[in-house]
């Protein structure tokens, strides 16, 4: 591997007494204008002096270099490499299967599907709608930066309205049980909105900070779209491989006499099917988490070193680290989630068999474990991107960080997620409306007679998918930035104050207003 080291680190100085904290306060005041930052009642070192050693009496049970307090730059070496080789073997196996078995089956199916049909008009429509969706998705970024608090409030109200509408629809259709369940969820959403309403200001400034970091390093967005294209290419390759081995995976049995097959039943070889699902989800998870790690490293560079630009050192450095020294760690966490996803998909495919209750229970348990592991990965990969930890070390450090700060309940507030969903939905609906303007009288559909079907409805569907998918990609990039901002604010407020004083003042003011006991 071509190895690259992390380019920033965060020291800390822990002082026991109030007098010592005041000494540090006076020294830092001489270093830069404004008050020094106090985290959990502890003064931290000057952001301009990353080599300041801890004083001899600084320990309070944890050393200054204790990773539970702050992350540290890791030495340059490839971590968890065995899992990277597992991914390489997985991709090589799928490529080989697709080349040997899948090509002929795919071409035959494609010829049968397109026989007598012309899809060029739909392809042109998809390209046009894709360009429109990209423009509209790009416009969501300045909208997020202009009115983050308003969007969070609208998303919460919108969630309540949608749940209420589902209750009304259920009762109108005569579904009493569905209406009761919907009413329960409506009340839950109402209580949730009331409970988190006071936390909106901090969530808003958090979102504003993340959007600013992404805007200053727009190359991360380009990488996210490239990774999405790579995911699509992988899905196509995997589908070709699946078609090639279908006869091996599914055993067909004739119903009737040996001379005359009246019907066919299929029995699935679940061993082959599990391996195929595992291969699919493993690579998809790696691509998704690689993007997350790149964004985390980019935001870290902006936070600690004020790096910016389309091809800034933060973007390029984090990309190189994610694809080299940290790639094994990404593959490690991705494989764990992929195993659970494959088991869940296998259980779902077996729903038509006996023991339906047992399968349903197993699927529910697997789904819960998957959610827990994905939540763990979300924060662990932030540390992988920031400092180059191995997967296990990153998870331990980031969880310990929040535990020490007492933020377990705070990080559970996912207020910005609703904003991302509603913005993606809004762009999807706009593109849907634009697509509905196309019909068989449109110029390119006149030139290329389309396949039988409702052209207007098909183009509307294409527009909705394009808008929803492309906006979701951008929103996922900002979501990764939001997670990184939370971690960086937990352990690097001094650096934030030095490099981005205006945003820092906003975050500290709103945080102390609603969480005065945190001491940030």
């Amino acid at each position: 591997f071509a190895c690259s080291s992390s380019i920033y680190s965060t020291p800390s100085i822990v002082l026991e007494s109030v007098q010592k904290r005041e000494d540090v306060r006076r020294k830092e005041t001489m270093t830069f204008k404004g008050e020094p930052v106090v985290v959990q009642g502890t003064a931290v070192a000057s952001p301009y002096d990353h080599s300041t050693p801890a004083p001899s009496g600084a320990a309070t049970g944890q050393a200054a270099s204790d990773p539970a307090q702050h992350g540290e730059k890791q030495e340059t070496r490839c971590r968890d490499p065995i899992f990277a080789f597992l991914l390489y073997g997985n991709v090589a196996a799928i490529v080989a299967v697709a080349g040997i078995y899948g090509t002929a089956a795919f071409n035959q199916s494609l010829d049968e599907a397109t026989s007598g049909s012309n899809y060029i008009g739909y392809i042109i429509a998809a390209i046009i709608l894709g360009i429109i969706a990209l423009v509209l998705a790009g416009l969501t970024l300045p909208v997020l930066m202009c009115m983050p608090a308003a969007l969070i409030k609208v998303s919460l109200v919108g969630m309540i309205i949608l749940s209420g509408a589902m209750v009304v629809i259920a009762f109108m259709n005569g579904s009493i049980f569905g209406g009761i369940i919907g009413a329960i969820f409506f009340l839950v959403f109402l209580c949730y909105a009331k409970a988190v309403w006071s936390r909106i200001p901090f969530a808003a400034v958090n979102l504003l900070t993340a959007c600013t970091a992404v805007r200053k390093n727009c190359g991360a967005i380009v990488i996210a779209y490239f990774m999405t294209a790579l995911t699509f290419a992988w899905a196509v390759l995997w589908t070709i491989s699946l078609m090639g081995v279908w006869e091996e995976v599914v055993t067909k049995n004739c119903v009737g006499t040996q001379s005359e097959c009246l019907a066919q039943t299929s029995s699935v070889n679940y061993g082959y099917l599990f391996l195929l699902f595992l291969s699919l989800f493993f690579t998809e998870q790696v691509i998704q988490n690689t993007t997350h790690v790149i964004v985390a490293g980019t935001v870290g560079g902006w936070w600690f070193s004020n790096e910016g630009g389309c091809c800034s050192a933060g973007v390029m450095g984090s990309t190189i680290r994610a694809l080299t020294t940290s790639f094994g760690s990404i593959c490690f966490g991705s494989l764990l989630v992929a195993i659970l996803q494959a088991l869940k998909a296998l259980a779902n495919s077996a729903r038509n068999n006996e023991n339906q209750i047992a399968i349903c229970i197993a699927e529910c348990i697997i789904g819960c474990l998957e959610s827990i592991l994905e939540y763990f990965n979300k924060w662990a990969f932030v540390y992988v991107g920031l400092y180059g930890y191995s997967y296990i070390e990153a998870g331990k450090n980031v969880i310990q960080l929040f535990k020490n700060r007492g933020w377990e309940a705070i990080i559970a507030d996912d207020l910005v997620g609703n904003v991302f969903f509603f913005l993606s939905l809004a762009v999807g609906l706009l593109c849907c409306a634009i697509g509905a303007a196309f019909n068989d009288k449109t110029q390119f559909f006149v030139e290329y007679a389309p396949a039988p079907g409702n052209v207007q409805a098909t183009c509307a569907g294409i527009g909705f998918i394009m808008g929803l998918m492309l906006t979701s990609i951008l929103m996922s990039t900002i979501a990764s930035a939001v997670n990184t901002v939370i971690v960086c604010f937990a352990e690097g407020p001094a650096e934030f104050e030095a490099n981005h004083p205006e945003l820092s003042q906003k975050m500290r003011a709103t945080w102390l207003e609603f969480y005065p006991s945190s001491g940030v």
Side-chain angles (χ1 to χ4, degrees):
F1 299 102
C3 297
S4 174
S5 64
S6 182
I7 56 176
Y8 41 79
S9 61
T10 313
S12 71
I13 296 178
V14 183
L15 304 178
E16 286 185 76
S17 65
V18 174
Q19 182 61 45
K20 289 182 179 180
R21 288 199 296 269
E22 291 301 321
D23 290 341
V24 173
R25 184 184 300 273
R26 286 194 294 271
K27 290 180 182 179
E28 289 191 334
T29 303
M30 296 174 62
T31 305
F32 63 101
K33 295 181 180 180
E35 292 186 0
V37 180
V38 178
V39 182
Q40 287 288 81
T42 300
V44 296
S46 168
Y48 292 101
D49 185 8
H50 280 205
S51 60
T52 303
S56 58
T60 61
Q62 283 181 317
S65 60
D66 189 346
Q69 289 292 330
H70 286 286
E72 295 179 330
K73 180 181 68 175
Q74 300 299 293
E75 62 178 335
T76 303
R77 64 183 178 88
C78 299
R79 303 181 184 278
D80 304 316
I82 184 64
F83 297 98
F85 286 113
L86 288 176
L87 177 74
Y88 299 148
N90 169 54
V91 174
I94 291 297
V95 170
V97 170
I100 297 173
Y101 301 105
T103 306
F106 179 76
N107 289 336
Q108 180 181 352
S109 299
L110 189 63
D111 291 339
E112 293 174 356
T114 59
S115 178
S117 301
N118 192 328
Y119 290 91
I120 296 179
Y122 289 119
I123 294 173
I124 297 174
I127 293 173
I128 295 173
L129 292 169
I131 295 172
I132 295 173
L134 278 174
V135 173
L136 293 176
L139 292 176
T140 61
L141 189 57
V143 171
L144 280 171
M145 298 182 67
C146 289
M147 53 180 76
L151 288 174
I152 293 175
K153 292 177 181 178
V154 169
S155 67
L156 280 175
V157 174
M159 183 175 64
I160 295 172
I161 293 174
L162 284 178
S163 60
M166 292 178 64
V167 174
V168 173
I169 293 173
F171 281 123
M172 289 180 63
N173 291 332
S175 177
I176 305 299
F177 179 76
I180 293 174
I181 297 297
I184 294 173
F185 277 101
F186 173 76
L187 294 175
V188 169
F189 289 146
L190 198 62
C191 294
Y192 170 78
K194 182 179 179 181
V196 301
W197 197 266
S198 62
R199 296 169 180 168
I200 288 176
F202 182 75
V205 73
N206 201 346
L207 179 58
L208 174 63
T209 303
C211 291
T212 303
V214 171
R215 183 175 61 84
K216 293 288 186 180
N217 297 270
C218 57
I221 300 175
V222 177
I223 292 174
Y225 280 113
F226 171 77
M227 290 297 185
T228 303
L230 194 61
T231 303
F232 177 76
W234 167 252
V236 172
L237 180 65
W238 182 85
T239 302
I240 294 173
S241 301
L242 176 63
M243 296 172 66
V245 299
W246 186 252
E247 294 297 331
E248 300 294 333
V249 175
V250 178
T251 304
K252 296 180 179 179
N253 303 310
C254 280
V255 177
T257 62
Q258 293 183 352
S259 59
E260 185 178 1
C261 187
L262 301 178
Q264 278 190 337
T265 60
S266 299
S267 59
V268 179
N269 185 318
Y270 287 102
Y272 285 120
L273 197 58
F274 173 76
L275 292 176
L276 284 167
F277 281 139
L278 181 61
S279 175
L280 173 66
F281 295 130
F282 185 21
T283 306
E284 285 186 349
Q285 280 289 317
V286 168
I287 296 173
Q288 174 184 328
N289 291 327
T290 299
T291 305
H292 181 36
V293 169
I294 291 173
V295 173
T298 300
V299 173
W302 172 83
W303 185 284
F304 292 107
S305 303
N306 199 17
E307 296 168 349
C310 182
C311 298
S312 65
V315 174
M316 301 306 296
S318 60
T319 302
I320 293 172
R321 287 193 301 276
L323 297 177
T324 55
T325 55
S326 296
F327 193 64
S329 300
I330 296 172
C331 293
F332 187 0
S334 301
L335 179 60
L336 297 178
V337 174
I339 291 173
L340 293 177
Q341 288 180 326
L343 289 172
K344 185 178 178 181
L346 202 64
N348 188 53
S349 66
R351 277 184 174 273
N352 294 328
N353 296 339
E354 298 179 356
N355 301 320
Q356 292 288 316
I357 296 178
I359 292 173
C360 184
I361 294 173
E363 190 174 359
C364 182
I365 294 173
I366 294 171
C368 292
L369 292 175
E370 178 191 350
S371 298
I372 294 171
L373 190 54
E374 285 180 338
Y375 186 80
F376 176 84
N377 281 357
K378 178 172 69 173
W379 300 106
F381 284 134
V382 170
Y383 255 49
V384 172
L386 287 175
Y387 300 112
Y389 281 105
S390 67
Y391 174 69
I392 297 296
E393 291 174 336
K396 289 179 179 179
N397 277 280
V398 76
I399 297 302
Q400 189 63 38
L401 171 70
F402 285 117
K403 184 178 180 180
N404 290 344
R405 296 289 185 242
W407 290 8
E408 294 93 336
I410 296 171
I411 62 176
D413 294 341
D414 190 17
L415 293 173
V416 297
N418 295 326
V419 177
F420 298 153
F421 168 74
F422 278 101
L423 281 177
S424 300
L425 184 63
V427 173
L429 292 174
L430 281 174
C431 292
C432 176
I434 295 172
F438 297 151
N439 52 50
D440 51 8
K441 298 294 191 292
T442 306
Q443 181 62 34
F444 47 80
F445 280 116
V446 173
E447 294 179 5
Y448 306 102
N454 191 324
V455 172
Q456 194 172 21
T458 303
C459 289
I462 293 173
F464 179 77
I465 293 172
M466 285 289 184
L468 185 68
M469 181 183 69
L470 294 177
T471 309
S472 296
I473 294 168
L474 177 60
M475 295 299 104
S476 67
T477 304
I478 299 175
S480 297
V482 168
N483 296 333
T484 307
V485 165
I486 292 175
V487 173
C488 290
F489 186 62
E491 66 166 43
E495 287 81 351
F496 191 43
E497 173 71 22
N499 294 322
H500 312 282
E502 184 178 348
L503 286 171
S504 176
Q505 291 298 326
K506 289 181 179 179
M507 288 191 72
R508 291 174 63 193
T510 54
W511 182 270
L512 290 173
E513 181 180 354
F514 298 98
Y515 307 105
S517 62
S518 66
V520 175

